[in-house]
């Protein structure tokens, strides 16, 4: 299981990232009216551009990372329980024989298989959650930095 690593610069909230680069929206405020004058051009309104810029505002990546940490703790506990059940199945096979013992062993083995599939799914979800934090932060940062880099003079 790989845990996401973020530097302090990457720990800025989505709102902070957007706010830090919002000055670039002035480009659209100044130049969209000029673009509208071009015959046959279809340009978005300034408020539409601002709304698109702010689409991710309020997205709480820290909460998603915290939820991922909780899912990680659950996956670790599930893994420990599965390991313990594996050891207990070995003991069961050594001590309980006959039809009833075989039935119990098959039942426990089947439950372990199901638990293993569940653990794999939980770990996949965990990795997806951590990746989502990084991908969403990167997407917002890229968009904000592009807008922030526009020449507003």
């Amino acid at each position: 299981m790989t845990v996401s690593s973020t530097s302090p610069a990457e720990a800025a909230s989505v709102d902070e990232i957007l706010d830090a680069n919002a000055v670039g929206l002035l480009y659209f405020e100044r130049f969209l009216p000029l673009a509208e004058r071009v015959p046959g051009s279809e340009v978005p309104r300034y408020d539409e551009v601002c709304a698109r810029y702010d689409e991710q505002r309020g997205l709480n990546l820290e909460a998603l990372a915290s939820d991922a940490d909780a899912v990680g703790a659950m996956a670790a506990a599930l893994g420990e329980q599965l390991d313990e059940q594996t050891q207990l199945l070995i003991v069961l096979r050594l001590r309980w024989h006959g039809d009833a013992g075989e039935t119990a062993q098959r039942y426990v083995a089947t439950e372990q298989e199901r638990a293993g599939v569940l653990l794999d799914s939980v770990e996949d979800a965990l990795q997806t959650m951590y990746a989502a934090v990084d991908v969403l932060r990167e997407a917002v940062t890229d968009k904000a930095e592009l807008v922030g880099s526009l020449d507003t003079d």
Side-chain angles (χ1 to χ4, degrees):
M1 169 173 24
T2 304
V3 176
S4 171
S5 62
T6 55
S7 69
E10 293 173 324
S13 74
V14 168
D15 288 1
E16 291 168 338
I17 294 167
L18 293 172
D19 290 344
N21 292 282
V23 67
L25 291 171
L26 291 174
Y27 172 88
F28 297 101
E29 183 180 42
R30 291 182 182 148
F31 294 109
L32 283 177
L34 298 174
E36 287 175 347
R37 294 182 190 170
V38 176
S41 67
E42 291 184 30
V43 295
R45 294 187 330 263
Y46 176 67
D47 63 329
E48 293 172 333
V49 171
C50 291
R52 291 291 306 268
Y53 182 79
D54 286 334
E55 281 179 338
Q56 292 80 31
R57 193 170 291 282
L59 186 62
N60 190 340
L61 297 179
E62 291 71 27
L64 181 56
S66 178
D67 289 347
D69 291 340
V71 170
M74 182 193 66
L78 182 57
E80 290 170 9
Q81 290 295 312
L82 189 55
D83 290 343
E84 186 177 332
Q85 281 187 8
T86 300
Q87 296 304 313
L88 292 173
L89 181 58
I90 292 169
V91 171
L92 183 64
R93 286 182 175 146
L94 292 172
R95 296 194 178 160
W96 196 359
H97 303 282
D99 291 342
E102 288 176 18
T103 301
Q105 292 168 29
R106 275 195 305 273
Y107 174 78
V108 172
T110 300
E111 290 301 308
Q112 282 183 314
E113 226 176 272
R114 291 174 59 195
V117 170
L118 175 63
L119 179 58
D120 289 344
S121 295
V122 170
E123 288 177 341
D124 287 347
L126 174 63
Q127 293 306 314
T128 301
M129 292 172 77
Y130 279 129
V133 171
D134 294 337
V135 168
L136 290 169
R137 184 180 308 283
E138 186 177 311
V140 169
T141 300
D142 288 350
K143 173 182 76 171
E145 288 178 351
L146 176 66
V147 169
S149 71
L150 294 173
D151 185 7
T152 58
D153 295 326

